[in-house]
Amino acid sequence: MIALLVLFLIFIVLLAFFIGNNLSNVCTFWFFHTYTDMPVLVLVFFSFAAGIIISILFMIIGKILKMNKDSSVIVNAENTDNSTDE
């Protein structure tokens, strides 16, 4: 457990060092409006967060569609069982 904490702290220090060295890198970004002098690091973090959000949405939609498919299979199985009784 202590080793995991040490590794996490080392990761945070390296991340802070990386961020500190790259704050001066800027670019122009267009997203329905032209943003000039936007730090590249901000764009990286926003794109990473957008990817996480979209992945979670696709996962939720996939689970909902799978539940609907499973429930329709159960309903169809019940309907075929009832038709053989007659």
Side-chain angles (χ1 to χ4, degrees):
M1 194 68 181
I2 298 292
L4 184 64
L5 178 64
V6 170
L7 287 174
F8 182 73
L9 290 175
I10 290 171
F11 175 73
I12 294 297
V13 168
L14 290 175
L15 187 64
F17 180 73
F18 174 76
I19 290 171
N21 284 335
N22 290 309
L23 284 176
S24 62
N25 295 336
V26 294
C27 65
T28 301
F29 177 69
W30 182 86
F31 186 70
F32 301 109
H33 181 268
T34 302
Y35 299 96
T36 58
D37 297 334
M38 172 80 67
V40 174
L41 199 60
V42 171
L43 292 176
V44 169
F45 283 137
F46 277 133
S47 63
F48 184 74
I52 290 173
I53 291 169
I54 290 172
S55 298
I56 290 171
L57 288 175
F58 281 140
M59 184 181 69
I60 291 170
I61 290 170
K63 286 190 178 199
I64 290 172
L65 292 176
K66 185 177 179 183
M67 286 190 321
N68 287 342
K69 182 180 176 184
D70 290 343
S71 65
S72 67
V73 169
I74 292 171
V75 169
N76 288 338
E78 288 175 357
N79 288 341
T80 57
D81 288 341
N82 291 339
S83 63
T84 59
D85 291 339
E86 294 176 6

